[in-house]
């Protein structure tokens, strides 16, 4: 797995995407990388079949970039677990797949096409967002990229984060989030004061980051990137997800939480989330085939109502409680004043007044 910044071995360009400014911008950064125009769906299928017939189609797909046009909708509600309270989050799908290669990544199972796709018809995105925000103008909206790929891993090629920040900045009822595991923050513009743009990092124990999150920088580099982003004027978030059990997990997670509060001013943190390892049984087979040395899929798992394997409840609670308590201890200075304190700082007027 090549370390970032990422450059593909080859770029395929859907004929329909040739004239878009974003296509030109991306290709401008890929001088010397072999390029091929894909003239028809038949040729596209042939290329995909060649990738799928390789020994490791997912790994092979990560070496290839495909530029195309989004024909459906860019903005979708978060596909939350059925029959549980939804998170109300909206996702923007601008790219699919990720150049990093985490052993536990759900995208290995979830996405049909293994190559890295970037949708270049940004003009359609802005129109769709205008309509979407007009429809929901009385409601507090949380929206972000980073659901079907890392938000910043391709930013040195696409420059999309700056476009998105410029679109969302100043939209009072919207909180926009970029989610990443990288330290590639060079293209984020400075902002004047903390506003409605949040950059968040996925954090994990050093052992998990080192052994299971291939291509991602060590946790300390992610924290240093977060600190640099705070200096640029942003507020930041952190996702401890997936929390994984392994011998010594208590000490390692304690260490990363302590480091977080040493490096990042607590007042700049707008949210922290926790989630324990979970995966569909079909992903387990993929992980076994691609990463035979990993041990994280062998533990006491049960099959949840949502069809995903997750730790037996007492083990899950122990993990969540332990890391949660450590955050509470180390982050006392930031202790929220109430259930919605954090959201209220972002949506002082609109939160809780959903009239859409
Ligand atoms: S960074 Fe996220 S999207 Fe990328 S491989 Fe890891 S888990 Fe998957």
């Amino acid at each position: 797995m090549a370390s970032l910044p990422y450059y593909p071995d080859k770029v395929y360009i859907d004929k329909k995407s040739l004239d878009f400014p974003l296509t030109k911008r991306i290709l401008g950064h890929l001088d010397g990388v072999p390029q091929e125009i894909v003239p028809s769906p038949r040729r596209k299928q042939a290329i995909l079949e060649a990738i799928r017939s390789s020994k490791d189609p997912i790994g092979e797909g990560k070496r290839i970039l495909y530029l195309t046009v989004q024909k459906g909708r860019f903005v979708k509600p978060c596909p939350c677990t059925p029959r549980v309270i939804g998170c109300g989050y909206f996702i923007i799908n601008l790219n699919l797949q990720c150049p990093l290669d985490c052993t536990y990544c759900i995208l290995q199972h979830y996405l049909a096409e293994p190559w890295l796709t970037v949708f270049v018809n940004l003009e359609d995105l802005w129109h769709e967002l205008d309509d979407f925000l007009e429809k929901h103008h009385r409601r507090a909206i949380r929206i972000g990229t980073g659901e079907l790929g890392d938000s910043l891993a391709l930013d040195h090629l696409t420059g999309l984060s700056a476009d998105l920040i410029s679109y969302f900045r100043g939209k009072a009822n919207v909180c926009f989030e970029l989610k990443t595991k990288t330290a590639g923050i060079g293209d984020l513009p400075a902002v004047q004061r903390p506003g409605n743009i949040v950059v968040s990092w996925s954090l994990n124990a050093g052992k998990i980051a080192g052994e299971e999150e291939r291509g991602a920088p060590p946790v300390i580099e992610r924290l240093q990137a977060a600190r640099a982003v705070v200096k640029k004027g942003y507020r930041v978030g952190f996702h401890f997800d997936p929390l994984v059990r392994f011998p010594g997990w208590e000490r390692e997670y304690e260490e990363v939480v302590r480091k977080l509060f040493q490096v990042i001013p607590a007042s700049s943190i707008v949210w922290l989330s926790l989630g324990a390892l979970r995966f569909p049984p079909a992903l387990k087979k993929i992980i076994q085939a691609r990463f035979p040395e990993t041990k994280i899929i062998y533990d006491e798992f049960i099959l949840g109502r949502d069809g995903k394997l997750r730790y037996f409840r007492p083990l899950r609670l122990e993990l969540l409680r332990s890391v949660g308590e450590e955050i509470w201890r180390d982050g006392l200075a930031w202790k929220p004043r109430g259930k919605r304190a954090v959201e209220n700082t972002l949506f002082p007027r609109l939160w809780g007044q959903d009239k859409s």
Side-chain angles (χ1 to χ4, degrees), residues 205-265:
K207 179 181 165 66
I208 300 301
E211 294 177 9
E212 312 291 340
E213 298 178 343
R214 291 150 202 233
V219 168
I220 186 62
E221 286 180 30
R222 298 180 211 177
L223 290 175
Q224 283 161 348
R227 186 165 61 183
V229 157
V230 168
K231 284 192 181 143
K232 286 187 181 206
Y234 295 87
R235 288 193 278 197
V236 289
F238 297 94
H239 302 286
F240 288 85
D241 195 358
L243 294 171
V244 180
R245 284 165 43 84
F246 59 90
W249 63 264
E250 298 91 334
R251 193 177 28 80
E252 284 221 24
Y253 280 114
E254 200 179 300
E255 218 167 277
V256 69
V257 171
R258 195 168 306 141
K259 189 58 79 185
L260 162 65
F261 286 105
Q262 279 168 7
V263 175
I264 306 296

Side-chain angles (χ1 to χ4, degrees), residues 98 100-102 104-105 107 149-150 181:
C98 177
L100 281 69
D101 204 4
C102 305
Y104 53 74
C105 181
L107 302 184
D150 188 283
K181 272 197 186 93

Side-chain angles (χ1 to χ4, degrees), residues 27 47 83 94 98 102 117 126-127 138 203 208 219 221 249 274 319:
L27 294 180
I47 300 162
R83 299 189 301 278
L94 268 168
C98 177
C102 305
T117 300
W126 308 134
H127 285 134
R138 287 178 181 274
L203 298 180
I208 300 301
V219 168
E221 286 180 30
W249 63 264
L274 306 180
L319 194 54

